[in-house]
Amino acid sequence: MKEVTVLGIDLAKNSFQLHGVSDEGEVILKKAVSRSKLSSIIANLQPCLIGMEACSGANYWAREFQKYGHNVKLISPQFVKPYVKSNKNDANDAEAICEAVSRPSMRFVPIKTLEQQDIQSIHRIRSRLVKEKTALMNSIRGLLHEYGVSIPQGVSSLRKKLIELSEAEITSTTLFMCKDLYEELLEKEEKIKRYDHKIDEIFASNEMCKKIESVPGVGKKTATIILSALGDGSEFKNGREFAAYLGLVPRQSSTGGKAKLLGISKRGDKYIRSLLVHGARSVSIYSVNKSDKRSRWIEDLKERKGMNKTAVAIANKNARVIWALVKNNTEYKETIKAA
């Protein structure tokens, strides 16, 4: 019997669709299996190329299959969709994954280690807490505004006003509710501080994070989350490919030999992209009084393109520099001052 050389797996929670082909492209394996039987089936196959969409649970299964000697690749779902034939179902999806993973020019998503997943999870939880804190602050402002109490934006202004509230301004019942909401706000802030401390610990224990943080516009949070997404950089051919992975390069709508560039694609992780752009804004603000080559480039770009496009350009450059630092395991070197 011919051996499976390429296997596409459509992942789910409890039911998994397999589609395996031989060297000649003949379909050898086509079946749905349960979660309990998936590991044993993959373990009994000869080492082959396994493709899966980069979705929930994909990193776990990729690490498990690698233990059996398989070459596992994760593909972004948007790159699998063009290979789906006719109607969408599990069998067609698995076949499309099998076809996509065998393409020589296909782009893949790095497989995360347990450490990388831990870092990503910490950032995800912290991000959720920050959103909940912001929502809570807006809720308090809206509630008090109904009673004629207007509070300026900013957590310090809100905290100060909540402490000073009295029954002269609002009813005793509303004062009770505001005190309860204030305690909830303090709890959110305390949880955020705990996760900030955890991120600081991860940063302090990782030498590569320190190298990434040396890039202007990159802080501890950016350094740690980028390392969780980038890995060792081997999945990306160059820095531009990594910048494209983060959605920091222009979209194209070119045809008939006419190139037309649009705004940035905004693909990939929005959280990482926003951290890079916000860090780039701070760099562009403080470049006014500097004379090094990088700062002069930033000032020239601000005059021609404006602040927003300049921030994206700096973020794009920083992404490329970070890829080079990680891939080559080198340190960032400041540019020489202009004569």
Side-chain angles (χ1 to χ4, degrees):
M1 181 178 179
K2 295 181 180 179
E3 297 291 346
V4 172
T5 57
V6 182
L7 178 66
I9 304 178
D10 183 48
L11 299 176
K13 291 182 179 179
N14 300 308
S15 178
F16 302 82
Q17 183 71 38
L18 309 182
H19 186 93
V21 299
S22 64
D23 282 328
E24 293 79 17
E26 180 184 352
V27 178
I28 304 298
L29 178 63
K30 189 174 183 179
K31 63 184 297 186
V33 299
S34 63
R35 186 183 186 89
S36 59
K37 295 180 180 179
L38 179 61
S39 292
S40 60
I41 291 175
I42 301 300
N44 291 325
L45 292 176
Q46 290 294 322
C48 63
L49 174 62
I50 297 179
M52 297 181 292
E53 286 184 332
C55 58
S56 178
N59 287 291
Y60 164 75
W61 287 114
R63 292 193 300 268
E64 288 296 307
F65 299 158
Q66 284 178 335
K67 294 177 183 178
Y68 304 131
H70 298 291
N71 180 18
V72 186
K73 298 290 185 180
L74 300 183
I75 314 173
S76 176
Q78 65 184 350
F79 294 146
V80 175
K81 189 175 181 180
Y83 294 93
V84 178
K85 298 176 183 176
S86 186
N87 299 316
K88 173 180 167 52
N89 54 52
D90 291 348
N92 287 342
D93 286 347
E95 183 180 359
I97 294 169
C98 183
E99 180 68 24
V101 76
S102 61
R103 297 300 92 197
S105 60
M106 181 54 62
R107 296 174 181 173
F108 302 108
V109 178
I111 298 171
K112 289 182 174 60
T113 63
L114 283 173
E115 181 183 8
Q116 288 175 301
Q117 278 195 251
D118 288 343
I119 295 173
Q120 187 185 60
S121 298
I122 289 171
H123 278 272
R124 292 289 183 269
I125 296 172
R126 183 190 178 279
S127 180
R128 176 182 61 81
L129 289 170
V130 170
K131 289 180 181 178
E132 290 177 355
K133 174 189 171 183
T134 303
L136 179 60
M137 290 168 58
N138 291 335
S139 177
I140 295 172
R141 283 196 184 88
L143 175 67
L144 291 176
H145 194 266
E146 294 294 331
Y147 291 87
V149 180
S150 180
I151 305 175
Q153 289 188 349
V155 66
S156 58
S157 300
L158 178 63
R159 189 184 292 110
K160 182 180 179 181
K161 187 61 181 178
L162 288 175
I163 294 173
E164 296 174 351
L165 276 175
S166 64
E167 292 187 16
E169 298 177 275
I170 55 177
T171 64
S172 58
T173 302
T174 307
L175 183 62
F176 165 77
M177 290 187 292
C178 287
K179 287 182 178 179
D180 189 57
L181 291 172
Y182 179 63
E183 290 176 0
E184 186 179 348
L185 179 63
L186 294 178
E187 290 176 5
K188 297 289 184 187
E189 290 180 336
E190 185 60 33
K191 287 183 178 180
I192 292 172
K193 288 179 181 178
R194 289 206 299 267
Y195 281 97
D196 285 339
H197 180 66
K198 191 64 180 177
I199 291 172
D200 291 342
E201 287 181 351
I202 294 170
F203 175 84
S205 63
N206 193 302
E207 290 300 321
M208 184 53 69
C209 283
K210 295 176 183 178
K211 292 179 181 180
I212 296 174
E213 194 260 348
S214 64
V215 178
V218 177
K220 295 179 180 179
K221 293 181 180 65
T222 309
T224 51
I225 190 61
I226 280 186
L227 192 64
S228 74
L230 180 57
D232 60 1
S234 59
E235 286 291 349
F236 301 97
K237 183 173 60 176
N238 49 40
R240 188 193 183 284
E241 196 170 278
F242 179 57
Y245 172 75
L246 296 177
L248 289 168
V249 298
R251 291 183 294 117
Q252 286 195 46
S253 181
S254 305
T255 184
K258 295 182 179 180
K260 182 179 179 181
L261 298 180
L262 308 174
I264 59 172
S265 65
K266 296 184 180 180
R267 290 178 177 175
D269 196 317
K270 180 182 177 181
Y271 177 72
I272 299 177
R273 186 171 59 253
S274 64
L275 287 177
L276 283 172
V277 172
H278 287 316
R281 290 186 190 280
S282 66
V283 172
S284 64
I285 290 173
Y286 293 104
S287 65
V288 179
N289 299 320
K290 295 182 179 180
S291 59
D292 59 279
K293 186 177 179 181
R294 182 187 177 95
S295 297
R296 293 305 93 209
W297 168 74
I298 293 172
E299 287 302 304
D300 179 62
L301 198 59
K302 280 197 289 187
E303 290 181 5
R304 292 185 291 111
K305 299 294 184 180
M307 180 66 80
N308 291 335
K309 290 183 179 180
T310 300
V312 174
I314 298 170
N316 185 310
K317 182 182 285 289
N318 283 348
R320 299 184 186 207
V321 171
I322 290 169
W323 175 86
L325 294 180
V326 174
K327 185 68 170 63
N328 302 318
N329 194 21
T330 57
E331 295 184 359
Y332 177 76
K333 296 180 180 179
E334 292 284 351
T335 53
I336 300 174
K337 290 186 178 181

